[in-house]
Amino acid sequence: MNIASIALPRIFRIGGGASKQLPEVLASLGLSRPLIVTDAYLMSSGRVAELENGLAAAGIAARAFADTVPDPTVASVDAGVAFLKAGEHDCVVGFGGGSPLDSAKAIALLASHGGAMADYKAPHVQDAPGLPVIAIPTTAGTGSEATRFTIITDEATDEKMLCPGLAYLPVAALVDYELTFTKPVRLTADTGIDSLTHAIEAYVSKRANPFSDGMALLAMRAIAPNLRRVCGDPMDAAAREAMMLGATQAGIAFSNSSVALVHGMSRPIGAHFHVPHGLSNAMLLPAVTAWSAPAALHRYADCARAMGIADEAEGDQSAVARLLDELAALNRELEVPGPAAWGIDAARWEALVPTMCAQAAASGSPANNPRVPDVEEMAMLYAQVWAG
């Protein structure tokens, strides 16, 4: 019997100004002592103060931990746990991009269950919940507000640990596109391609199901026509709203199916070379899609049709050719740098390829790909991405 296991946040508030409903959402959940987990930029820009003022007006006192780091580490999460334990908190509010949201999930888990983050990495699945997490994303990209995963870097081994399970699924997500107006273009482009990657991989994954398919196709329809628009005009409200909704739909899609080879190969690039996650996905997406497409031609053709770049009546082979052209064009037009242009040393890249292949395989994501690579094939793809 083929039964898909579907899990979603209990509460979604989606639309402009949704973040202002945090006090009401906390009250509906019987929560009153939140720890806000965020980053230094959102703290210095006054965004956290706006959130705290809204809570204070409702009689809710909050503390904020703003020492999260890009690609959160074991040390940064441990610091957050210590900060939480110094207060009397009954929940964690993740406020920011993927890194603060992932940090919030990990802090909420360890505060309840203890141990080290490495104890929870795949293949371990952590379903028993920690403290409730309320997620408020400020970037249209990771979809972390709707997923049952967190990713934490082990600084000792330079491994991005994929930690799966229902424990990481926020109980509520407040999806407010108005928080994305001030995002710089580079971040807008990289997080946008990240969410497009989520949708494509969820749809072609071996673990796809009718529910995740529907969400993935909706996400592609929202993201594809608006990614260039929002990079060209950051104040385009309709495009920002579509990108934010698409990112959440893509998060729902891959959380309820899986990501695949792009993500498996992307995490080690981020861990070893500190490339932002969306950017490392963008570097890989055209080459990995071209390599994978022959194993799921119809599925990739469906992606091209959902993205509006192939006609419904067009044959699969032609539609996939259009998809590959579009992914290359996106990288070119949005000025996605390759590894060399990003400043990665060629000798170090080459030396780390065997380690990156091993870490990618260990994450389990490549096994979900329609065409599953061996180590030599992954090494070939890393070489192809380097060559551009």
Side-chain angles (χ1 to χ4, degrees):
M1 192 178 294
N2 189 18
I3 297 174
S5 175
I6 307 302
L8 298 165
R10 191 189 312 172
I11 296 169
F12 273 110
R13 298 287 172 93
I14 299 174
S19 59
K20 294 181 175 65
Q21 296 188 356
L22 178 60
E24 181 187 321
V25 168
L26 289 173
S28 74
L29 293 166
L31 302 169
S32 60
R33 300 186 305 281
L35 172 68
I36 300 170
V37 173
T38 187
D39 61 28
Y41 169 75
L42 288 165
M43 183 68 95
S44 65
S45 69
R47 291 283 197 186
V48 175
E50 287 174 25
L51 214 54
E52 289 175 322
N53 292 341
L55 290 168
I60 297 172
R63 293 166 73 232
F65 174 75
D67 293 336
T68 65
V69 297
D71 298 321
T73 61
V74 167
S76 70
V77 167
D78 287 347
V81 173
F83 189 92
L84 181 146
K85 288 184 173 177
E88 294 288 323
H89 296 290
D90 60 3
C91 61
V92 177
V93 175
F95 181 55
S99 295
L101 297 189
D102 278 2
S103 299
K105 293 176 177 188
I107 290 165
L109 174 83
L110 290 181
S112 292
H113 294 282
M117 211 61 224
D119 301 335
Y120 299 95
K121 72 177 181 178
H124 177 87
V125 176
Q126 180 66 26
D127 285 337
L131 288 177
V133 174
I134 295 88
I136 307 176
T138 60
T139 65
T142 68
S144 188
E145 67 275 7
T147 72
R148 44 179 141 179
F149 305 101
T150 191
I151 298 171
I152 306 298
T153 300
D154 183 343
E155 315 93 306
T157 59
D158 269 344
E159 179 189 2
K160 274 196 171 186
M161 299 181 291
L162 173 65
C163 305
L166 291 173
Y168 308 107
L169 185 68
V171 68
L174 280 54
V175 183
D176 183 351
Y177 73 88
E178 291 177 358
L179 297 174
T180 68
F181 281 128
T182 53
K183 275 172 61 179
V185 172
R186 180 75 269 148
L187 186 62
T188 296
D190 294 344
T191 54
I193 296 176
D194 187 22
S195 55
L196 182 62
T197 306
H198 291 153
I200 293 171
E201 290 214 296
Y203 192 74
V204 303
S205 164
K206 288 184 174 181
R207 296 171 65 186
N209 57 74
F211 178 86
S212 63
D213 283 353
M215 282 293 170
L217 293 169
L218 284 172
M220 285 182 257
R221 289 182 190 123
I223 296 161
N226 289 293
L227 182 47
R228 287 181 181 83
R229 262 181 70 180
V230 81
C231 289
D233 178 8
M235 299 307 291
D236 184 330
R240 284 284 190 201
E241 184 171 19
M243 291 298 295
M244 194 66 150
L245 179 60
T248 297
Q249 289 167 331
I252 292 171
F254 87 78
S255 182
N256 289 288
S257 60
S258 64
V259 287
L261 183 54
V262 174
H263 275 75
M265 292 180 63
S266 173
R267 293 186 205 105
I269 295 175
H272 293 287
F273 301 105
H274 306 293
V275 177
H277 173 68
L279 181 54
S280 55
N281 276 350
M283 289 175 180
L284 288 158
L285 184 59
V288 171
T289 302
W291 184 82
S292 304
L297 207 62
H298 184 66
R299 286 247 142 190
Y300 282 104
D302 282 348
C303 294
R305 295 178 189 115
M307 289 166 64
I309 54 176
D311 191 86
E312 289 297 328
E314 200 163 347
D316 288 352
Q317 195 81 47
S318 174
V320 171
R322 289 187 189 277
L323 175 65
L324 299 178
D325 286 347
E326 169 67 359
L327 297 180
L330 267 178
N331 278 13
R332 192 168 57 249
E333 292 167 34
L334 301 182
E335 298 179 350
V336 172
W342 175 253
I344 295 172
D345 177 72
R348 187 156 180 262
W349 174 276
E350 198 171 328
L352 279 166
V353 162
T355 301
M356 293 198 293
C357 291
Q359 289 178 343
S363 75
S365 299
N368 302 323
N369 207 56
R371 184 180 179 189
V372 180
D374 58 27
V375 169
E376 289 75 19
E377 287 166 323
M378 270 197 278
M380 176 272 295
L381 285 166
Y382 276 127
Q384 198 177 323
V385 168
W386 176 270

